[in-house]
Amino acid sequence: MLCDSEIFNKLPLGPRPELNYRTVTGKLKSIWESHPDKETLIFFDDDNERTSLKNEEIQLLAQKCSSLLRSHGVRKGDVVCNLLQSSLEREVTNFGIILAGAIVMHGDVINDTSHHFWTPILQANARYLIVEPVAESTGWKMLMDDIEPSGADIERSTNAEYPQIQKVFKFRLEHHIKDVNRESVKSAFDLMKAHPGVYEERVFSHDPAAIFVAQGSQKHYKLVLRNHSQLCQIAHRVEDMFNVTPEDVVYNDWPISWLAGLPFCYISTGCSMVKSTLTECPAQKVVRETWSLIEDEHVTIASLHPPMIQMLSSHCDDLPEPHWKLKVLSTTGFVRQSVMDAIGTCTTSIVTCYSLIEAGVVSRLRLTEENKTRFSEGCVGDLSDPVRTKFDTEGNGSAKATKVGEILLQGKLVCKEYFNDPNLTKMSFTNDGFLMTGDLGFYNEENQLFVLGRKVDAIIRGGTAIFPRDIEEKVNQCPGIWKVKVVSIKDYKGIVQMCACVIPRTDDSLTIERVKEFCRYQLGGTYDADDNPHMPTYVFFFEEFPMHKGTVNRRMLAYMASEIVHGNANCEY
């Protein structure tokens, strides 16, 4: 319990309006007031220390947060950017922003430390920012020089370049200051509890409630505005597609179905939600601690990164018998066949889905012991009811087998535009209103949708769409290879060819011919003619790869490989 009983005496709110269940506010109040003693938000930090909140505590903290925001100028329709990372404080603060009638902008994905940090914030017309004042916070690094140096917890912005920013709320997270002298440092919950008032703004289903943020392939930010009704519909869709009930306990190190920002399962059903910061730990500890957490909390639905499921499935045989078994293991992204090993040992079923902030959950594939052998990599199952694709313009259910192409979406919950970005909107939507997702896919003969990968990542060779990820995973199994990246280049005839850029292990006498021989074995090429489109034409050795912001700069790597092909550089860097 984070709060003492005296603080949580209910304060009068005046005449009680009838709950509007088509608003997030109405659904939250219904959950809070129908099960006030239920423990529903649970958090584990890197020290495996458990903190939790009951519904009545969440309600009053959110009401006090709402009043605190309002006392500092936040009004209905204002955009408040929440830059807090995964924590109880972030969830409660989001609820507080919504109760204030403001629009919560999910800024936890904004991690740019250049001037681009401000691009989505200014585009959303955000006037208030909420940030954790610690050195590790990207938001704080960008803001610390632009606020009045008074040491207060809520300060006015002094950034003359961006005058629209009014105030910065410094919300400290409990688990980051638990060893600090609390008389001199206040947490976000301390600030909320000390505030004397509570507040709830009356809102309607058509009122805007949230701005979702995602970073596009070209490093630009995409903003999608959702109103209360749309958020409730997305929450109900998540409930239906994952069969969530109020009795379920949901754990996620990955936003369930990649719908970041709000706990949709909780909003729809009032189920218990468990979160952690265990993803910051070493890999072996993550696996051990995650499964221990799942067992201790009796988690029924877990939403995990595909690599986490891969690690869990590889340790299935090491689990003691009898052990806890999940009802649903959910993930998104590209799922390998080997992940199916988790069915029957760790979980009753695996649900893999395809979703975007622009459309919510688009499709879902449920795999059990009975049908897991029929799983094909890339399959994401059947479309959810309101969604149409360009392959299926007559509605769900009438799709036919198609060739590989870009997936275009249209539907009730598919956004019609990007918020305050007409240029991106024009580039991303067809004349007849379909969203161009940038993903390549196709339908098979059973009307199931397959998603192969991002269009910008694909190498089109001989009419075949090839994804470097697939080639890299196979080539990386070659003994003596430390790292490999596959890029496309044009040869002296102007024909697109593939190049495998390899960093060898220092203690191995690896040769280019050995790598090519291994590629032929794995990918199906021949000694006489490597005419398989998946077979790299060139293999070059590098001492290191060019990097940009912590990731390999494929464009520069392709340029370096092209220079080698055209005789302008050595065959080793």
Side-chain angles (χ1 to χ4, degrees):
M1 296 267 296
L2 290 176
C3 317
D4 65 54
S5 58
E6 291 186 4
I7 292 177
F8 276 88
N9 289 330
K10 297 284 186 177
L11 299 178
L13 293 173
R16 176 192 171 100
E18 185 177 345
L19 292 180
N20 183 348
Y21 293 102
R22 291 187 299 169
T23 67
V24 176
T25 302
K27 295 189 73 65
L28 288 175
K29 289 191 65 177
S30 174
I31 291 167
W32 293 337
E33 295 175 5
S34 59
H35 299 91
D37 295 327
K38 183 178 179 181
E39 185 183 60
T40 49
L41 289 186
I42 302 161
F43 181 77
F44 287 83
D45 62 20
D46 274 347
D47 296 325
N48 208 28
E49 186 170 322
R50 185 182 192 273
T51 312
S52 65
L53 288 173
K54 295 181 179 179
N55 278 334
E56 63 177 355
E57 297 171 327
I58 299 169
Q59 180 177 13
L60 196 58
L61 281 172
Q63 290 171 343
K64 285 178 169 289
C65 178
S66 171
S67 181
L68 176 66
L69 294 171
R70 187 170 176 82
S71 69
H72 287 275
V74 176
R75 293 294 182 266
K76 183 177 181 179
D78 283 343
V79 178
V80 182
C81 182
N82 186 355
L83 295 160
L84 299 180
Q85 296 301 307
S86 180
S87 59
L88 294 178
E89 289 84 352
R90 187 182 76 178
E91 304 298 349
V92 170
T93 299
N94 283 341
F95 295 156
I97 295 169
I98 290 174
L99 290 187
I103 303 169
V104 56
M105 178 181 179
H106 303 290
D108 51 303
V109 300
I110 304 175
N111 53 19
D112 206 312
T113 54
S114 69
H115 67 280
H116 294 297
F117 169 85
W118 294 101
T119 302
I121 293 174
L122 298 177
Q123 184 178 323
N125 295 323
R127 299 179 60 203
Y128 303 91
L129 308 180
I130 297 175
V131 64
E132 184 185 14
V134 293
E136 297 78 14
S137 167
T138 299
W140 181 243
K141 291 176 184 177
M142 300 302 296
L143 289 167
M144 58 189 302
D145 294 330
D146 297 323
I147 57 177
E148 297 173 352
S150 65
D153 296 300
I154 301 167
E155 301 190 88
R156 187 174 297 278
S157 172
T158 59
N159 191 320
E161 189 175 357
Y162 309 119
Q164 73 180 63
I165 307 298
Q166 298 295 306
K167 288 187 178 180
V168 177
F169 295 78
K170 295 187 287 185
F171 280 9
R172 296 174 177 85
L173 308 185
E174 291 273 352
H175 66 280
H176 284 165
I177 60 172
K178 57 187 177 183
D179 299 325
V180 178
N181 182 358
R182 296 303 290 274
E183 294 183 1
S184 58
V185 178
K186 294 180 180 179
S187 70
F189 286 153
D190 291 334
L191 293 176
M192 295 175 195
K193 289 185 287 185
H195 186 75
V198 294
Y199 185 77
E200 291 175 11
E201 179 72 41
R202 186 178 183 185
V203 294
F204 300 93
S205 60
H206 60 268
D207 286 333
I211 294 175
F212 294 96
V213 184
Q215 196 167 25
S217 302
Q218 305 303 319
K219 304 301 181 183
H220 60 263
Y221 287 97
K222 303 183 292 184
L223 276 60
V224 176
L225 177 67
R226 296 291 193 183
N227 62 33
H228 280 266
S229 176
Q230 291 170 331
L231 292 181
C232 292
Q233 291 177 64
I234 291 173
H236 282 299
R237 184 183 292 181
V238 171
E239 173 191 359
D240 176 65
M241 298 190 80
F242 295 95
N243 295 331
V244 186
T245 68
E247 292 72 36
D248 279 317
V249 179
V250 179
Y251 171 78
N252 61 307
D253 69 350
W254 181 264
I256 194 161
S257 67
W258 208 23
L259 297 175
L262 289 172
F264 287 103
C265 292
Y266 176 76
I267 292 172
S268 181
T269 67
C271 65
S272 296
M273 301 288 294
V274 182
K275 293 195 173 187
S276 74
T277 59
L278 294 176
T279 51
E280 300 172 11
C281 300
Q284 289 184 340
K285 183 180 179 183
V286 169
V287 175
R288 183 176 65 253
E289 297 291 346
T290 296
W291 189 254
S292 176
L293 182 155
I294 287 172
E295 287 195 315
D296 292 345
E297 295 296 325
H298 293 152
V299 172
T300 56
I301 300 175
S303 181
L304 305 175
H305 288 72
M308 170 65 83
I309 299 180
Q310 190 78 45
M311 288 188 287
L312 275 177
S313 61
S314 66
H315 288 77
C316 286
D317 295 336
D318 300 330
L319 298 175
E321 295 290 350
H323 62 262
W324 184 256
K325 187 180 291 188
L326 294 162
K327 180 178 80 174
V328 175
L329 185 54
S330 167
T331 191
T332 187
F334 197 82
V335 178
R336 292 295 180 190
Q337 181 71 44
S338 55
V339 169
M340 298 302 109
D341 294 339
I343 296 178
T345 53
C346 297
T347 181
T348 302
S349 64
I350 288 180
V351 172
T352 178
C353 55
Y354 173 52
S355 59
L356 311 96
I357 65 166
E358 297 94 334
V361 183
V362 176
S363 65
R364 174 208 64 181
L365 177 67
R366 179 179 292 272
L367 298 159
T368 63
E369 196 73 49
E370 288 72 29
N371 67 352
K372 69 177 184 180
T373 56
R374 300 200 303 270
F375 170 70
S376 298
E377 294 181 356
C379 183
V380 292
D382 303 318
L383 295 181
S384 58
D385 189 47
V387 180
R388 300 189 300 161
T389 69
K390 197 65 171 179
F391 305 129
D392 176 19
T393 55
E394 299 302 321
N396 187 29
S398 61
K400 297 180 180 179
T402 64
K403 296 181 180 179
V404 173
E406 183 175 3
I407 299 172
L408 309 182
L409 297 176
Q410 188 181 68
K412 187 176 181 180
L413 290 179
V414 179
C415 71
K416 304 298 186 292
E417 63 180 1
Y418 289 108
F419 187 57
N420 287 344
D421 197 335
N423 291 332
L424 182 59
T425 298
K426 185 176 181 179
M427 292 187 297
S428 304
F429 290 83
T430 63
N431 293 333
D432 52 352
F434 278 82
L435 168 71
M436 296 184 286
T437 64
D439 295 321
L440 290 179
F442 65 94
Y443 281 113
N444 67 1
E445 293 78 3
E446 297 177 356
N447 296 346
Q448 289 187 317
L449 179 64
F450 281 70
V451 180
L452 301 179
R454 298 294 295 167
K455 185 177 179 180
V456 295
D457 296 332
I459 299 172
I460 308 300
R461 192 180 182 201
T464 302
I466 302 168
F467 292 90
R469 171 193 61 211
D470 301 329
I471 311 301
E472 290 164 0
E473 287 189 358
K474 292 181 179 180
V475 177
N476 208 39
Q477 297 173 25
C478 177
I481 288 182
W482 182 41
K483 293 181 181 180
V484 59
K485 293 294 178 183
V486 173
V487 297
S488 66
I489 58 176
K490 289 186 177 181
D491 61 17
Y492 63 94
K493 294 181 180 179
I495 300 173
V496 174
Q497 306 289 1
M498 282 202 305
C499 175
C501 302
V502 173
I503 299 181
R505 295 185 184 276
T506 55
D507 59 347
D508 198 280
S509 56
L510 187 68
T511 65
I512 288 178
E513 188 52 43
R514 279 180 57 190
V515 176
K516 287 186 175 182
E517 183 178 350
F518 187 85
C519 289
R520 293 186 188 103
Y521 170 75
Q522 286 281 52
L523 302 171
T526 65
Y527 282 99
D528 296 330
D530 293 327
D531 53 358
N532 184 340
H534 293 80
M535 178 70 190
T537 305
Y538 304 105
V539 176
F540 297 135
F541 284 176
F542 290 75
E543 292 183 359
E544 60 183 8
F545 293 147
M547 306 294 290
H548 179 67
K549 294 184 178 180
T551 60
V552 176
N553 187 336
R554 288 182 181 269
R555 182 174 296 181
M556 177 57 68
L557 186 60
Y559 170 78
M560 295 165 69
S562 179
E563 289 292 283
I564 298 174
V565 169
H566 292 93
N568 298 327
N570 296 325
C571 63
E572 292 192 17
Y573 269 94

